[in-house]
């Protein structure tokens, strides 16, 4: 049976995030789905999508990573509102469906040298699964 997904959030120093990223790169079985970079500024919304589109039941569906960011920046911190979603296709015999693995809408207040680690853990038919997202800001 599938377990309910659990989301954990850590606010980390950007140097800790860099070290974690390097450690993940060296971990057997770990893979980076996407490593996009976005540039935005105070009060300027940014969004991106990386993936593909498929037609199911006559509707176009987007499968992959979607992100939307809205920062409010001042000298001491960044108030960051985010929307993150990750989905993929699942094939069971000849039936194709879309599985949403991550769907987060949140607001964070980050000091100058902080970033975020989001970790989604779940259990499915093939065993435990983890999906991580690293977010860092550069002022």
């Amino acid at each position: 049976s599938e377990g309910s997904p659990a989301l954990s959030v850590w606010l980390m120093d950007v140097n800790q995030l860099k070290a974690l990223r390097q450690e993940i790169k060296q971990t057997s079985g770990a893979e980076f789905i996407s490593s996009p970079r976005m540039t935005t500024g105070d009060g300027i919304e940014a969004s991106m999508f990386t993936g593909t589109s498929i037609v199911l039941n006559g509707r176009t569906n987007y499968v992959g990573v979607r992100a939307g960011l809205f920062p409010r920046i001042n000298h001491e911190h960044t108030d960051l509102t985010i929307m993150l979603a990750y989905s993929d296709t699942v094939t069971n015999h000849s039936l194709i469906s879309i599985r949403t693995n991550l769907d987060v809408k949140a607001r964070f207040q980050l000091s100058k040298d902080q970033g975020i680690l989001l970790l989604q853990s779940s259990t499915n038919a093939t065993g435990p699964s983890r999906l991580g997202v690293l977010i860092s800001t550069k002022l």
Side-chain angles (χ1 to χ4, degrees):
S1 75
E2 294 195 16
S4 297
L7 180 67
S8 300
V9 178
W10 287 273
L11 296 181
M12 301 173 74
D13 177 272
V14 290
N15 293 322
Q16 291 174 310
L17 280 177
K18 284 181 187 178
L20 177 61
R21 182 179 173 83
Q22 290 306 312
E23 188 175 328
I24 292 169
K25 281 184 176 182
Q26 297 172 4
T27 301
S28 176
E31 67 177 284
F32 281 82
I33 296 168
S34 182
S35 296
R37 296 181 188 273
M38 287 193 259
T39 302
T40 186
D42 180 44
I44 301 172
E45 184 176 5
S47 63
M48 70 103 208
F49 171 76
T50 180
T52 189
S53 62
I54 63 171
V55 177
L56 287 177
N57 301 325
R59 285 186 42 170
T60 301
N61 297 272
Y62 296 96
V63 179
V65 179
R66 286 182 323 223
L69 307 173
F70 184 76
R72 296 299 296 180
I73 303 167
N74 69 37
H75 296 290
E76 295 169 19
H77 66 271
T78 299
D79 188 50
L80 184 63
T81 302
I82 64 169
M83 182 285 301
L84 293 169
Y86 170 63
S87 60
D88 62 0
T89 56
V90 178
T91 305
N92 185 1
H93 302 288
S94 62
L95 179 65
I96 297 174
S97 61
I98 297 174
R99 172 179 55 199
T100 299
N101 298 298
L102 178 70
D103 189 7
V104 175
K105 295 163 188 72
R107 183 176 167 204
F108 299 98
Q109 198 166 76
L110 305 171
S111 67
K112 236 179 180 177
D113 297 320
Q114 274 188 320
I116 305 164
L117 166 62
L118 301 172
L119 186 63
Q120 177 87 25
S121 300
S122 63
T123 303
N124 57 36
T126 59
S129 172
R130 291 192 183 108
L131 176 67
V133 177
L134 303 173
I135 300 170
S136 61
T137 60
K138 190 175 195 180
L139 300 177

